[in-house]
Amino acid sequence: MRILVVGSGGREHALVWKLSQSPDVKEIFCAPGNPGIAQLATCLPIGVADIVELADFAEKMKVDLTVVGPELPLTLGLVDELQKRRLPVFGPNKLAAELEGSKVFSKTFMKKYEIPTAEAEICTSRKEAEKAVRAIGVPCVFKADGLASGKGVVIAREDAEVERALKLFFDDRVFGSAGDRVLVERFLTGDEISFMVLSDGERAIPLATAKDYKRVFDGDRGPNTGGMGSHSPSVFMEAGTAREVLTDIVHPTLRGMKEEGRPFRGLLYVGLILENGMNPYVLEFNARFGDPETQSVLIRMEDDLLPYLLGSARGQFDAALKPVWKKEAGACVVLAADGYPGPFERGQAITGIDEALAEEGVFVFHSGTAKGPDGSLVTAGGRVLGVCGRARGLSEALRRAVRASETIRYDGKHFRRDIGAKAIDVLRERTGSGLS
Ligand code: GLY
């Protein structure tokens, strides 16, 4: 089969890596890809928002399956365009992708279908937002309705931060039309978990749980990023809670989306918070694989990913599909560029990847890398590389990822050294050892 993967991040590198191991995959294209992906696939100079060009390519090359990585092409209707041309595609169509593309849609949907989530008010002016803050109380959360590259969520913990958020969203309008409508939401505390399921529109196949770490600095300090690391399993969720999430959240969501005339096929990412350590609430839905959770999850997947993606694209999973996970943990440490998540440096020479890969249980997925004028590898994005470790226990998987992260070098490199630290503490308490 010929596969086209759309995207250029670590998530897409992990997807290409996993698909390249399928006995049924003969050729992979990636648009636009990155230098890591180029070792496994043919990269194309087509951007993720170039919907017609992507569909033209898939049609011309008789691509058997297009796999859409990021949210932007989903919300722009790439899946609809491919389906119009009767080309198989993995991912939700534009209407279904609104679960991620509009926070107002997803909040209204959750309310209608009684899916547990924090109470919120929809606001279109500063005055409405001030009223909502008075009703909901401080701390509270401000969320831009539309896509904002992961920057549209602001937690206001005290009155001064509320004032700053009001200015940002309503006076300065930094989110443009994505901030025409704003949710003011009750702040929930607890452990966050990424719960990803594959869906064919009706059935849900859960992937291994994961946890990502959004803040830039150790100790969960500093601004939010696209994700500075992840591990799988998430550790924080017991099997009973996972069943509850499927019954109370995932299945009602899939049924509700079908009822709304928006059947969801693709990867449904449920961003959960466990309030008081046990009650799962939905913080957000995403309509695609998480990044960097996908890296930690896919290195643990024993079986072929292709039949799952094909089944979802066809609207019917094969009844026998049931993922098998290695009895090993996966961890991913993101190496970032100097300045990230603010304006960052580019063009720094990267060395040490082969050395890192020579170690047992180490995987490196490229995100923001490029080839310099002399063909050598340089930094080209805020999140540069996802350095992953896999081992029998989470502690060792994390140690492998951190050790390999030290081996890779470029000027301005920074990464978190405490990814998974709390998870290890939880495991120690549970088992008397951090090794499980
Ligand atoms: N890691 C969070 C996300 O993919 O949105």
Side-chain angles (χ1 to χ4, degrees), residues 11 100 194 212 214 226-227 269 284 286 288-293 383:
R11 163 186 52 208
E100 172 166 7
S194 308
D212 78 335
K214 293 198 174 69
Y269 171 123
E284 63 172 355
N286 290 325
R288 36 93 197 158
F289 282 96
D291 188 343
E293 293 93 325
R383 291 193 290 171

Tab-separated table of all heavy atoms in Angstrom, residues 11 100 194 212 214 226-227 269 284 286 288-293 383, ligand 1:
chain	number	residue	atom	x	y	z
A	11	ARG	N	5.061	13.716	16.211
A	11	ARG	CA	3.918	12.791	16.095
A	11	ARG	C	3.925	12.120	14.725
A	11	ARG	O	3.765	10.901	14.607
A	11	ARG	CB	2.633	13.598	16.289
A	11	ARG	CG	1.374	12.925	15.824
A	11	ARG	CD	0.195	13.882	15.942
A	11	ARG	NE	0.453	15.151	15.299
A	11	ARG	CZ	-0.092	16.313	15.653
A	11	ARG	NH1	-0.939	16.358	16.643
A	11	ARG	NH2	0.194	17.413	15.010
A	100	GLU	N	-12.563	19.676	18.299
A	100	GLU	CA	-11.328	20.367	18.686
A	100	GLU	C	-11.322	21.809	18.199
A	100	GLU	O	-10.835	22.709	18.886
A	100	GLU	CB	-10.088	19.650	18.110
A	100	GLU	CG	-8.810	20.465	18.347
A	100	GLU	CD	-7.512	19.710	18.131
A	100	GLU	OE1	-7.537	18.556	17.669
A	100	GLU	OE2	-6.457	20.292	18.435
A	194	SER	N	-3.932	11.874	29.260
A	194	SER	CA	-4.321	11.883	27.842
A	194	SER	C	-4.882	10.512	27.504
A	194	SER	O	-4.158	9.509	27.594
A	194	SER	CB	-3.112	12.168	26.959
A	194	SER	OG	-2.452	13.329	27.412
A	212	ASP	N	1.064	13.898	29.355
A	212	ASP	CA	2.038	14.847	28.813
A	212	ASP	C	2.296	15.954	29.823
A	212	ASP	O	1.550	16.122	30.786
A	212	ASP	CB	1.613	15.395	27.444
A	212	ASP	CG	0.553	16.467	27.537
A	212	ASP	OD1	-0.186	16.484	28.519
A	212	ASP	OD2	0.471	17.295	26.608
A	214	LYS	N	3.005	19.925	30.063
A	214	LYS	CA	2.863	21.083	29.173
A	214	LYS	C	3.752	22.262	29.542
A	214	LYS	O	4.128	23.043	28.678
A	214	LYS	CB	1.399	21.537	29.176
A	214	LYS	CG	0.472	20.507	28.544
A	214	LYS	CD	-0.864	21.112	28.152
A	214	LYS	CE	-1.712	20.119	27.386
A	214	LYS	NZ	-2.201	18.994	28.187
A	226	GLY	N	3.684	23.283	23.640
A	226	GLY	CA	2.966	22.212	22.945
A	226	GLY	C	3.121	20.878	23.663
A	226	GLY	O	2.431	19.915	23.348
A	227	GLY	N	4.041	20.803	24.625
A	227	GLY	CA	4.299	19.542	25.343
A	227	GLY	C	5.796	19.315	25.443
A	227	GLY	O	6.491	19.315	24.425
A	269	TYR	N	-8.994	12.324	21.040
A	269	TYR	CA	-8.086	12.552	22.175
A	269	TYR	C	-8.900	13.223	23.264
A	269	TYR	O	-9.423	14.322	23.063
A	269	TYR	CB	-6.955	13.456	21.691
A	269	TYR	CG	-6.000	14.009	22.729
A	269	TYR	CD1	-4.642	13.768	22.630
A	269	TYR	CD2	-6.431	14.819	23.776
A	269	TYR	CE1	-3.737	14.305	23.541
A	269	TYR	CE2	-5.542	15.353	24.698
A	269	TYR	CZ	-4.206	15.091	24.572
A	269	TYR	OH	-3.325	15.632	25.473
A	284	GLU	N	-10.529	18.952	27.556
A	284	GLU	CA	-10.575	19.294	26.130
A	284	GLU	C	-10.672	18.026	25.303
A	284	GLU	O	-10.286	16.949	25.751
A	284	GLU	CB	-9.304	20.057	25.713
A	284	GLU	CG	-8.047	19.227	25.882
A	284	GLU	CD	-6.792	19.867	25.313
A	284	GLU	OE1	-6.890	20.934	24.686
A	284	GLU	OE2	-5.718	19.276	25.490
A	286	ASN	N	-9.385	16.654	21.528
A	286	ASN	CA	-8.642	16.917	20.307
A	286	ASN	C	-9.080	15.877	19.281
A	286	ASN	O	-9.515	14.780	19.649
A	286	ASN	CB	-7.133	16.833	20.540
A	286	ASN	CG	-6.638	17.990	21.397
A	286	ASN	OD1	-7.152	19.111	21.299
A	286	ASN	ND2	-5.665	17.735	22.248
A	288	ARG	N	-7.216	14.479	16.941
A	288	ARG	CA	-6.015	13.891	16.312
A	288	ARG	C	-5.105	13.343	17.405
A	288	ARG	O	-5.329	13.585	18.587
A	288	ARG	CB	-5.291	14.959	15.491
A	288	ARG	CG	-5.322	16.367	16.109
A	288	ARG	CD	-4.175	16.692	16.953
A	288	ARG	NE	-4.417	17.839	17.812
A	288	ARG	CZ	-3.732	18.053	18.904
A	288	ARG	NH1	-2.827	17.205	19.301
A	288	ARG	NH2	-3.977	19.099	19.660
A	289	PHE	N	-4.086	12.595	16.976
A	289	PHE	CA	-3.116	12.044	17.920
A	289	PHE	C	-2.443	13.180	18.688
A	289	PHE	O	-2.150	14.240	18.125
A	289	PHE	CB	-2.015	11.297	17.165
A	289	PHE	CG	-2.390	9.919	16.679
A	289	PHE	CD1	-2.845	9.735	15.387
A	289	PHE	CD2	-2.253	8.812	17.508
A	289	PHE	CE1	-3.167	8.460	14.924
A	289	PHE	CE2	-2.573	7.541	17.056
A	289	PHE	CZ	-3.034	7.366	15.767
A	290	GLY	N	-2.175	12.951	19.966
A	290	GLY	CA	-1.461	13.946	20.773
A	290	GLY	C	0.024	13.934	20.467
A	290	GLY	O	0.588	12.924	20.055
A	291	ASP	N	0.644	15.064	20.672
A	291	ASP	CA	2.086	15.204	20.464
A	291	ASP	C	2.635	15.890	21.710
A	291	ASP	O	2.227	17.033	21.984
A	291	ASP	CB	2.326	16.061	19.215
A	291	ASP	CG	3.785	16.097	18.796
A	291	ASP	OD1	4.642	15.749	19.615
A	291	ASP	OD2	4.054	16.492	17.647
A	292	PRO	N	3.453	15.281	22.532
A	292	PRO	CA	4.290	14.097	22.297
A	292	PRO	C	3.769	12.778	22.871
A	292	PRO	O	4.558	11.835	23.025
A	292	PRO	CB	5.589	14.488	23.018
A	292	PRO	CG	5.126	15.246	24.222
A	292	PRO	CD	3.875	15.974	23.786
A	293	GLU	N	2.478	12.642	23.157
A	293	GLU	CA	2.007	11.370	23.714
A	293	GLU	C	2.164	10.222	22.706
A	293	GLU	O	2.493	9.084	23.079
A	293	GLU	CB	0.515	11.448	24.097
A	293	GLU	CG	0.209	12.376	25.255
A	293	GLU	CD	-0.146	13.773	24.790
A	293	GLU	OE1	0.427	14.235	23.784
A	293	GLU	OE2	-0.998	14.408	25.427
A	383	ARG	N	10.155	23.086	19.283
A	383	ARG	CA	10.389	21.730	19.782
A	383	ARG	C	11.224	21.043	18.713
A	383	ARG	O	10.779	20.887	17.565
A	383	ARG	CB	9.064	21.010	20.018
A	383	ARG	CG	8.311	21.612	21.196
A	383	ARG	CD	7.170	20.733	21.652
A	383	ARG	NE	6.075	20.679	20.703
A	383	ARG	CZ	5.038	19.841	20.808
A	383	ARG	NH1	4.974	19.003	21.818
A	383	ARG	NH2	4.062	19.862	19.917
B	1	GLY	N1	0.039	17.080	23.982
B	1	GLY	C1	-1.152	17.795	23.844
B	1	GLY	C2	-1.678	17.863	22.478
B	1	GLY	O1	-1.275	17.127	21.608
B	1	GLY	O2	-2.557	18.685	22.232
